[in-house]
Structure formats: structure tokens, C-alpha cells
Amino acid sequence: METKVLIIGSGAAGYSAAIYAARANLEPIVVTGMQPGGQLTITTDVENYPGFALIQGPELMEQMRIHAENVGAKVIDDHIKNVKEYNKSRFKSTGNISDYYSDAIIIAAGAQAKWLGLESEKKFQGYGVSACATCDGAFFRNKVVAVVGGGNTAVEEAIFLTRFAEKVILIHRRDVLRAEKVMQDRLFNNNKIEIIWNHVVEEILGTENPKKVTSMVIKSIITRSLQEIKVDGVFIAIGHAPNTAIFKSLVEIDDQGYIITKPGTTLTSKDGVFAAGDVQDKVYRQAVVAAGTGCMAALDAEKFLESKDS
């Protein structure tokens, strides 16, 4: 399949890029990837996306897909396995069902929160289990929540959640935090936060109707004993992994796996390749930010193609 711009990924960044690229008559193709719609498809209520006072995550992404298709983008449910330069000035992206030849590529493949790998964790995702305090913290006003982790992300999430929660319990598998000293000081000085050291999460418990978290079982790594603690929500904060493995030979990537872009742009180290959303954003990780960088990537790609044609 031939296109001027191939967009890899179908979250807020990918669809935003598709809308702007289509309006610029670039006839973009969007390849959705393994999780069409991105991370918002595994959330429930979204209250912080401008223009939607309250909308379900999957519904918001479906609206974005419809919008992209209505303005002329072609959306294909496929998964890209390999990308390489082709004939020095074009790119060949190999998918499961087709090959895609393009003059430019916008990488918007997103990132995935690292999870504990528990069945009960998966069961209650979006119903009390979250990987984003900024997204979901407000739903736990005056409630008790747990944060799992010991790095900067976990400490930041725990401190942030004290704005809403009555109590925040930080659960860490070691007896010392990995977070920066200044962050630790803020955590230790916050009287809303309790720390449980040397414990791991064994199971998350809840009700079916309504579906919600009610407690969790944790295990001591020293005594192996179990205890159940009452919580209304569980925030997993053990990091994110950008979906960039297949791009490592194409563009420059940092030691955490994020694509490096020129400050203030979506330009990567490779001419004609642009990156938007969570593949290059390790700070904000919000849908509205991803959508903004998707717009930027489309405009950057348009400018690149114009210069190529002139």
C-alpha cells in the first residue's frame, strides 16, 4: 500500500495526526497496532479531555477514529512489525497483513504501563485499578487508596493523590525507596501517607455488582505472611514502557526507550520520521498532550514533504 504519510498507532496522537494530515491532503494511512485506540480504551470515565465533561475512554477513541475517517484518513487494523528505509528517500513498513510504502512516517505507537501481572489486577482495571493518578485521582475523593512502587513515579503519584484521598498507602517491596531524596522528604513529611515496607501485592479483591475494588492482599517478603488491607483504589506505579522496540535501528532512542525529538518539534534523528505522544513523552503522558503532539507531527510532516517536492 502506498501513502505520503504512514501513521503508526491509533491513540490520541495517531488520530490527531491523521486528522491534520488528511486536511492537508496528504491522504494518510493509520495502522492501528495491537491495541486500537491506545491506552484510553482500557479506562472508563474520562473527565479531563477538553470538550467532554464526561465520556468513556473507548467512546472517545471511537469518536476520534470516526473523525479521522470522515476527513479522509484511511484506518487499517494491522500491526507493524518492522520499519526500514527504502530506496534512500522512502520507507517500507511491514505489517501482519500488508506492506506500507510511504514518504514520511509519524510514530504514535504509544506506551504501556508496566503492570504486576495479576489476574485480579487485570479484572479491576478501570474499576479501581489504575496506572495514572493524574487521570483517575479525582474519583477517589475522601477514600483510601494504595500506590505500588518505590521510584519517582510512585512517590509523585502518592503525593498527588493526597489532594483527593483521605489516606494513601504506599506499598514497596524493599525497605528503601529509589526516588530522589527531595521527593522522599516530601513523602515522609506528608501525614496523609502511610508506607508499608517489604511487601508485595498478592491479590486485589472487590465486588462484582457494582464492580469495584474493596481491599487487597499483600505478602511480606521477609515472613511470607499475608494480610488484607481495606482500600478503594490501587494505583500501579512501577513505570511505563514506550512501544519503540521496532524503531531502534531507525531513530535515536534514549536509555529509557523513548524516541528523542528535537526540542519544540516532533522531528527525530531521521529525516522524514516524526514522533508524537507517549513514544516521546515521558513527563506528561496525557491524552490531550498526545493529541497536541499529533497535530505538531502532521504539520512537521507536511512541511517536510513540501520541501522534498520543491
Side-chain angles (χ1 to χ4, degrees), residues 144-145 169 214-216 228-232:
V144 178
V145 298
I169 303 169
T214 56
S215 65
M216 64 194 301
E228 183 178 343
I229 57 175
K230 300 278 186 187
V231 293
D232 301 291

Side-chain angles (χ1 to χ4, degrees), residues 65-76:
R65 176 170 181 154
I66 292 169
H67 190 169
E69 290 177 322
N70 283 350
V71 294
K74 188 170 187 178
V75 181
I76 299 175

Side-chain angles (χ1 to χ4, degrees), residues 233-302:
V234 181
F235 289 82
I236 311 300
I238 56 177
H240 282 73
N243 299 319
T244 57
I246 65 170
F247 307 110
K248 288 182 177 178
S249 62
L250 185 69
V251 296
E252 190 177 352
I253 290 174
D254 70 15
D255 57 2
Q256 294 175 275
Y258 291 87
I259 296 173
I260 297 171
T261 52
K262 181 180 176 181
T265 76
T266 62
L267 279 65
T268 70
S269 59
K270 183 67 179 175
D271 286 346
V273 179
F274 308 89
D278 287 4
V279 290
Q280 54 87 49
D281 173 20
K282 55 187 171 186
V283 177
Y284 302 104
R285 295 198 297 264
Q286 298 297 302
V288 68
V289 177
T293 55
C295 161
M296 291 167 60
L299 297 177
D300 286 341
E302 181 185 11

Side-chain angles (χ1 to χ4, degrees), residues 157-224:
E157 301 254 291
I159 293 170
F160 176 81
L161 285 165
T162 61
R163 300 181 187 182
F164 310 100
E166 176 186 317
K167 181 180 179 181
V168 177
I169 303 169
L170 182 70
I171 298 165
H172 186 39
R173 63 169 54 243
R174 299 182 179 88
D175 60 359
V176 62
L177 299 173
R178 302 187 310 276
E180 296 170 4
K181 184 65 167 57
V182 64
M183 296 299 299
Q184 292 191 43
D185 290 343
R186 290 175 192 164
L187 183 89
F188 297 144
N189 290 327
N190 194 312
N191 58 17
K192 275 190 165 185
I193 299 174
E194 174 191 343
I195 305 173
I196 298 180
W197 304 102
N198 299 310
H199 277 74
V200 294
V201 180
E202 192 77 0
E203 188 177 8
I204 296 168
L205 305 174
T207 58
E208 286 295 336
N209 191 19
K211 195 172 186 180
K212 65 176 182 176
V213 169
T214 56
S215 65
M216 64 194 301
V217 177
I218 58 175
K219 179 170 73 175
S220 168
I221 63 169
I222 298 172
T223 66
R224 317 306 289 177

Side-chain angles (χ1 to χ4, degrees), residues 51-96:
F52 297 91
L54 175 62
I55 190 170
Q56 297 289 299
E59 183 186 355
L60 178 59
M61 298 319 301
E62 180 61 21
Q63 287 296 317
M64 286 193 188
R65 176 170 181 154
I66 292 169
H67 190 169
E69 290 177 322
N70 283 350
V71 294
K74 188 170 187 178
V75 181
I76 299 175
D77 293 317
D78 196 358
H79 177 63
I80 299 298
K81 300 181 293 184
N82 181 53
V83 181
K84 63 182 180 180
E85 197 170 11
Y86 177 76
N87 283 349
K88 294 186 178 180
S89 62
R90 304 197 79 212
F91 300 95
K92 178 183 178 181
S93 302
T94 303
N96 287 332

